[in-house]
Amino acid sequence: QVHLVQSGAEVKKPGSSVRVSCKASGGTFNNYSISWVRQAPGQGLEWMGGIIPLFGTTRYAQKFQGRVTITADESTSTAYMELSSLRSEDTALYYCAKGPFYYDPSGYPTPESFHFWGQGTLVTVSS
Amino acid sequence: EIVLTQSPDFQSVTPKEKVTITCRASQSIGSSLHWYQQKPDQSPKLLIKFASQSFSGVPSRFSGSGSGTDFTLTINSLEAEDAATYYCHQSSSLPTFGGGTKVEIK
């Protein structure tokens, strides 16, 4: 049984950074992708980026390029998402999601479907 | 970026009725289209992968079809527990999601 357990809620000031963790248990950690998906209050799902721990390769949505960093620690089966220069619009529930990956036409590993999801971490940005 | 457009945005349905949700991609994505269910205050759950493959443990009343740019999620004989918002997601290129379809039980 795969479980993804995320760190607790955060309240941050505008301009600061936040780091959210996602610890995986059950199943293989390295040979899958871990993505981060956020959901603003009352809104839909938005993919931010992902990592393939086996290769350490990352891919980010253009919207978040330069502001988000996704890392993974294989020794603890934990993935991290750090978002910087926070603004009020970043207030959202942040999910990690685990699933297979595939190689895109340029040979770069890319997340596929999201089989398992964490419970979500609420990040509130407020002055 | 590939844009996914879902319709309708909202649907109010009586139990045992059939529900059809569509997802249209802004360019051809083959069968790289997946469907998720999100109930209130819960994390999303994968229902269908690659347009028509049921994920493990998903009730058989959920099915998917389509390829290229047009896809459909069908819920046969809706049950009260199916009240949720449904999202499509493409993995043909960097992932994107549709805007969601909220299904309410009458």
Side-chain angles (χ1 to χ4, degrees):
Chain A
Q1 182 88 6
V2 175
H3 265 101
L4 301 176
V5 178
Q6 299 182 219
S7 49
E10 302 265 12
V11 178
K12 293 292 182 179
K13 300 283 189 191
S16 67
S17 299
V18 69
R19 190 190 196 208
V20 181
S21 67
C22 170
K23 183 172 176 60
S25 62
T28 305
F29 179 73
N30 287 358
N31 206 26
Y32 285 86
S33 69
I34 301 287
S35 281
W36 289 88
V37 177
R38 79 177 188 181
Q39 187 169 38
Q43 302 301 309
L45 303 173
E46 182 176 35
W47 182 79
M48 301 176 67
I51 188 168
I52 315 297
L54 180 64
F55 307 121
T57 53
T58 53
R59 303 205 77 173
Y60 300 117
Q62 188 166 5
K63 174 178 178 177
F64 298 100
Q65 281 275 5
R67 214 161 61 92
V68 68
T69 303
I70 296 173
T71 56
D73 182 341
E74 297 175 58
S75 67
T76 60
S77 298
T78 303
Y80 300 90
M81 185 282 299
E82 183 167 9
L83 186 62
S84 62
S85 302
L86 290 169
R87 35 208 187 231
S88 59
E89 310 88 88
D90 293 319
T91 293
L93 200 52
Y94 288 77
Y95 294 103
C96 62
K98 177 183 174 183
F101 66 91
Y102 72 101
Y103 295 95
D104 72 7
S106 62
Y108 209 81
T110 302
E112 193 196 87
S113 51
F114 305 130
H115 289 198
F116 306 103
W117 295 68
Q119 83 276 18
T121 296
L122 180 62
V123 175
T124 303
V125 183
S126 173
S127 55
Chain B
E1 172 179 300
I2 295 175
V3 176
L4 298 179
T5 303
Q6 285 185 236
S7 62
D9 294 332
F10 176 83
Q11 199 164 7
S12 184
V13 188
T14 56
K16 298 189 178 180
E17 198 174 333
K18 180 180 176 180
V19 173
T20 300
I21 298 169
T22 65
C23 179
R24 175 163 288 177
S26 58
Q27 64 190 74
S28 180
I29 58 172
S31 61
S32 298
L33 191 284
H34 320 288
W35 291 97
Y36 301 83
Q37 175 193 65
Q38 185 180 32
K39 297 182 180 179
D41 299 319
Q42 293 187 19
S43 303
K45 292 180 180 176
L46 178 64
L47 294 175
I48 303 289
K49 56 179 182 170
F50 292 107
S52 61
Q53 299 175 19
S54 293
F55 188 58
S56 175
V58 173
S60 59
R61 62 182 179 274
F62 292 93
S63 63
S65 64
S67 67
T69 60
D70 294 301
F71 301 85
T72 300
L73 173 70
T74 300
I75 311 173
N76 282 300
S77 191
L78 186 82
E79 297 190 6
E81 66 183 29
D82 300 332
T85 301
Y86 293 85
Y87 295 94
C88 57
H89 148 230
Q90 66 79 24
S91 60
S92 176
S93 63
L94 289 185
T96 52
F97 287 91
T101 296
K102 185 174 183 179
V103 174
E104 174 193 89
I105 308 298
K106 280 183 184 173

